[in-house]
Amino acid sequence: MSKGPIYIGGVSYSGKTQLRLLLSNHPEIVITRRTYLWRKIYNQFGDLSQESNFENCLSNILELKPIQLLNPNPDRIRKEFWQGETSYSRLFSLLHQHYADGLGKTRWGIQIGKAEADAAIILSAEPNARIIQVIRNPVDRIEESLSKASFRLGLVGLELNRWTTSTSFGIANLEKFPKNYLFVKWEDILGDVETTLARVCDFIGETYYPGMVQLDDLERMGLRQKNDPSTEKIRLAGKEPVDHQPLSKGEHKFIEAETKSERRVFNYLTTKIHLSFFELINYLFLVFPINKVGVVLGKFKKS
């Protein structure tokens, strides 16, 4: 059985970029990002065994900026497409595999937000695919995502809804596709990147190479501070460390109260938070109701 593509999913500020870069250090793997073909293109142009449908589909794909970054060769795509199965998944595979070929790699993958929401569609068309969802403690993830927000009333609720929705998809996917789906905690990458990456490689059926974890890359990705590999910090790849605007104790309490079941699944500890009288009044009459509205608005937005 041939090895299928690799998808990295999860919400923003969870560590997807770091995992993509680490896996792309593998001698056989390259992970691209944000092509969104399954969401934008899949089944949108009819039966691709009809040449007119195929040409219309390919034309639209080639207009997508993320695809243009892959330097596609339309003539090669056309030639090879008609030599095999005329499906959307095979067309997507040709686009990415050609890019991998150009880099001397044999296996391709994609980092894409909401891959967990599309997992059933992807795996029905690509039974050999592997989907890795990166998850991060919601308190830390939401704090960083809102670090630069000057106005945040209700935003904790909105971001919390994003996290719980993504996590719910992932839990369901893991139950339905246990051999094709894996959760990776950001905290495990941060705490022991070598062991975690070896586990990921085992899941995708590849050999782990110690050279995949290089000190320069860890510093660039924010997994280690420069000249001090024993010290760890969190930041997004390629960006300067952000000065977090800390969550209030009330916001922290709200997040943990709303994620009790998910926190148990992933062994995230609950913090004992003691609110003063005034903090409790603020929590009951402002933080809790306004962020509950944010949660509901997040659900309404997706419906």
Side-chain angles (χ1 to χ4, degrees):
M1 182 178 291
S2 61
K3 296 176 181 178
I6 303 161
Y7 291 84
I8 299 176
V11 292
S12 59
Y13 297 94
S14 295
K16 300 190 301 295
T17 294
Q18 286 87 341
L19 183 59
R20 170 176 63 86
L21 295 173
L22 287 166
L23 283 178
S24 291
N25 281 339
H26 193 285
E28 301 299 331
I29 298 171
V30 59
I31 310 289
T32 58
R33 64 198 298 252
R34 296 179 178 174
T35 53
Y36 292 109
L37 292 177
W38 290 96
R39 186 148 295 203
K40 294 181 178 180
I41 301 296
Y42 184 68
N43 278 349
Q44 297 298 308
F45 297 90
D47 183 356
L48 296 188
S49 65
Q50 298 183 26
E51 187 173 0
S52 60
N53 290 342
F54 166 75
E55 288 295 339
N56 189 20
C57 179
L58 181 60
S59 175
N60 278 269
I61 288 176
L62 295 177
E63 291 179 359
L64 298 174
K65 290 184 178 180
I67 294 298
Q68 292 171 4
L69 295 176
L70 304 183
N71 298 315
N73 183 328
D75 291 335
R76 182 184 176 189
I77 293 169
R78 289 186 178 95
K79 178 181 178 181
E80 295 185 14
F81 182 78
W82 295 113
Q83 294 175 351
E85 179 185 319
T86 55
S87 66
Y88 284 87
S89 61
R90 184 162 174 275
L91 176 57
F92 300 165
S93 180
L94 288 174
L95 285 157
H96 291 90
Q97 189 59 55
H98 291 174
Y99 178 72
D101 293 344
L103 296 176
K105 303 290 186 87
T106 61
R107 194 172 183 186
W108 61 272
I110 308 170
Q111 171 195 333
I112 183 171
K114 300 183 179 179
E116 59 273 19
D118 297 329
I121 296 173
I122 293 171
L123 292 174
S124 65
E126 291 274 9
N128 297 336
R130 294 294 182 267
I131 301 178
I132 305 164
Q133 181 172 346
V134 188
I135 188 171
R136 181 178 174 188
N137 188 315
V139 173
D140 298 331
R141 186 254 156 201
I142 292 173
E143 182 175 78
E144 184 167 354
S145 70
L146 299 180
S147 61
K148 295 182 179 179
S150 57
F151 180 83
R152 55 198 282 174
L153 282 180
L155 291 185
V156 168
L158 284 168
E159 289 295 331
L160 180 59
N161 182 69
R162 292 183 63 198
W163 187 90
T164 54
T165 299
S166 170
T167 303
S168 296
F169 272 121
I171 292 172
N173 292 332
L174 183 61
E175 182 176 350
K176 188 175 182 180
F177 309 105
K179 295 182 179 180
N180 302 76
Y181 209 89
L182 178 71
F183 272 108
V184 173
K185 292 168 64 175
W186 162 248
E187 293 78 12
D188 291 340
I189 299 175
L190 189 66
D192 190 344
V193 63
E194 292 87 357
T195 299
T196 303
L197 197 56
R199 180 167 67 94
V200 171
C201 285
D202 182 65
F203 168 71
I204 62 177
E206 296 288 354
T207 300
Y208 168 70
Y209 293 91
M212 295 171 66
V213 181
Q214 302 172 13
L215 183 57
D216 288 346
D217 287 334
L218 296 182
E219 292 170 355
R220 178 167 55 87
M221 288 185 281
L223 294 173
R224 296 290 188 274
Q225 289 187 9
K226 189 174 183 180
N227 299 325
D228 187 4
S230 65
T231 304
E232 298 168 342
K233 64 179 179 179
I234 300 174
R235 67 180 175 88
L236 292 182
K239 295 184 178 180
E240 293 301 317
V242 296
D243 295 324
H244 288 171
Q245 179 183 347
L247 295 173
S248 70
K249 288 196 292 184
E251 290 171 330
H252 191 150
K253 181 179 180 66
F254 176 80
I255 293 170
E256 293 199 345
E258 295 290 311
T259 58
K260 287 181 180 179
S261 60
E262 294 90 351
R263 296 175 71 80
R264 283 195 294 268
V265 170
F266 297 102
N267 296 316
Y268 284 131
L269 299 178
T270 298
T271 307
K272 291 184 178 180
I273 301 172
H274 301 284
L275 302 179
S276 68
F277 174 76
F278 292 107
E279 287 171 336
L280 179 59
I281 294 300
N282 183 66
Y283 175 76
L284 292 175
F285 292 97
L286 181 62
V287 174
F288 181 85
I290 198 68
N291 285 300
K292 267 293 191 180
V293 171
V295 171
V296 173
L297 287 175
K299 294 178 180 178
F300 178 78
K301 185 178 179 180
K302 290 190 291 292
S303 63

